Amino acid sequence: MSHPNALKLYAALRLGSLLLMGTAYAGHGDVDVLEETREAMPRAVATHLGSSYDASIFEGQASEPHATKEQVAEYKKDETKYAKAVKEAWHINKKLEVMKERDEEVPQLERQAQNLARSIHQYEDKLEKAIDQGVQRVTLEESVSSTFSKKTSIVRQVKTFFENKAEENVLCLDGGGMRGVGTLTMLAALEMKTGLRTHQLFDRIYGTSTGGLAAIMLARGLSAHEVLNLYIEEGEIIFGRSTWDVITNPGGLLGAAYNPEGLESVIKKYVGDATLTDVKVPVTVTSVNSKTGSLQLLSSEDEETKDVTMLEAGRATSAAPTYFPAKTVKTKSGEYLAVDGGVGFNNPAAIAFEHARDHYKTHGRKVRINMLSLGTGSEAMLQLNENAGKLGFGNPGNIPGYFMGIKAREVEDTMARYHKKGKLQSYARIQFGLEQKVDLADYSESTLKMLQQVAWNRANEKEMSDFAKLLLKQKRHTKH
């Protein structure tokens, strides 16, 4: 690590300890900032910096920009305001917890908490910008000591409170028709490992197509096992074809292969007339505007779509072209004809990340995201002949799936990069392999048993077990 980068790391750590703990409860204790901060560093970082690091700062070996006195004065004012806002926000949130336990509505207090959260976010941005401008170097040159409160128990409570509130778990579910049985089997295994339902493990759920349907049911409060049984028991109703259907629309050549009445009856059976707001945790499903080809999210958190019925949302996200007809969805600003979000967005992980991040930013929150992304089974990549025409795909029907597969891998690569760069705190993409092609509408007993078996085996490998431990650890900290 070069000295300039080391100075930035030290400055960031000092900012965290000063603003979140010390300045908010400033007293007159004599605690050395460098020593206090180094105790809070990860061991590897502290060891790397070593005893020679602080000497290099004072010898002027760092090459950070040198700030003006005016910038330093402004920075110190913002430090004080930021610390005050943190202290007030902590007290207000503690009051809110007590009031909510009594089932008392306190909209004024909630608005005050939201306003403070926005202020904290704005101060953080200003302070980070000041650090980049070299303010930290000037303040370090002036003095490397500060005052910390002796109220260690309060300091610990503040730190723990904000650490817990700033971490959320996000679940993303792929599309894939009846192959969703595999996804739900993995989720059922996760629930068994943790002893908690999916909506108790995750703070928000995203889904596409069959993953969207499952997301709605899970956010509603059903367990993964209950939704899995729904798929197994209702598969024939969803994808069954009457003799009349076969005669009038052979092979789905004259229109969508399946009558949507079966699917709609199943959705209504389990959610009734509920809207997207009737959930235990926020839920968002993908769809595509058939006219413009643009992504249309249907979310319980968005003012535009929160009153959409679960029936509409479920039909819209699962209106796979050639399988089910498009669905008209009415939002607050109008209506559009929706088709399956799997058309380009079959793996919703990247969309979920952007949507969640925008939501946090709008509400003045900085949140560390733990994301679990579950697939519906991967088939062997189609091998093309050189200069392949349509017949090179085996048959023209394989062309959409080929390009959707490429898009899915792009999303996986994007999420892996986000994780590597630290934009995602924890990330797991768990997929199971398929030795044979499985049609989205295949509800045969042998296929469903095969999906459950391979998914169960995958769910009991180390990756899922590690994520289960992470979820339990995070939930224990939040509860504490």
Side-chain angles (χ1 to χ4, degrees), residues 359-381:
H359 176 79
Y360 299 141
K361 190 172 183 179
T362 300
H363 290 78
R365 300 177 63 202
K366 284 196 172 182
V367 176
R368 299 189 298 273
I369 296 175
N370 303 315
M371 180 180 286
L372 176 63
S373 173
L374 298 181
T376 57
S378 60
E379 302 164 351
M381 183 70 178

Side-chain angles (χ1 to χ4, degrees), residues 264-440:
E264 290 177 0
S265 69
V266 170
I267 297 173
K268 196 161 182 69
K269 176 179 176 180
Y270 288 88
V271 301
D273 297 321
T275 67
L276 288 176
T277 54
D278 298 320
V279 288
K280 295 184 181 294
V281 292
V283 64
T284 302
V285 302
T286 66
S287 69
V288 170
N289 186 316
S290 64
K291 184 176 181 180
T292 64
S294 60
L295 173 70
Q296 298 282 339
L297 295 182
L298 299 173
S299 176
S300 63
E301 294 185 292
D302 297 345
E303 192 66 29
E304 174 73 11
T305 62
K306 68 180 184 179
D307 294 327
V308 170
T309 67
M310 289 186 174
L311 175 59
E312 281 183 298
R315 267 286 284 118
T317 194
S318 59
T322 75
Y323 284 85
F324 291 108
K327 173 66 176 177
T328 299
V329 178
K330 295 180 180 178
T331 66
K332 287 192 175 180
S333 62
E335 62 181 43
Y336 71 98
L337 193 61
V339 295
D340 192 329
V343 182
F345 307 97
N346 201 55
N347 177 350
I351 298 299
F353 174 77
E354 296 292 341
H355 183 265
R357 188 176 63 175
D358 288 346
H359 176 79
Y360 299 141
K361 190 172 183 179
T362 300
H363 290 78
R365 300 177 63 202
K366 284 196 172 182
V367 176
R368 299 189 298 273
I369 296 175
N370 303 315
M371 180 180 286
L372 176 63
S373 173
L374 298 181
T376 57
S378 60
E379 302 164 351
M381 183 70 178
L382 182 64
Q383 300 298 313
L384 298 182
N385 297 323
E386 187 177 354
N387 299 319
K390 287 184 179 180
L391 294 180
F393 285 88
N395 69 67
N398 289 331
I399 296 176
Y402 179 79
F403 288 105
M404 283 176 67
I406 293 174
K407 177 67 175 177
R409 274 180 285 279
E410 287 179 359
V411 172
E412 290 178 25
D413 290 343
T414 297
M415 301 313 295
R417 284 198 302 274
Y418 284 166
H419 184 218
K420 187 175 181 180
K421 291 179 179 179
K423 293 183 178 181
L424 281 168
Q425 176 166 280
S426 299
Y427 171 69
R429 168 65 178 174
I430 302 181
Q431 180 67 284
F432 53 90
L434 294 173
E435 295 182 356
Q436 64 193 60
K437 185 176 178 63
V438 177
D439 188 85
L440 274 62

Side-chain angles (χ1 to χ4, degrees), residues 97 160-168 365-367 478:
E97 287 182 357
T160 302
F161 180 83
F162 278 94
E163 283 180 345
N164 289 340
K165 294 300 181 183
E167 184 174 334
E168 289 198 354
R365 300 177 63 202
K366 284 196 172 182
V367 176
T478 301

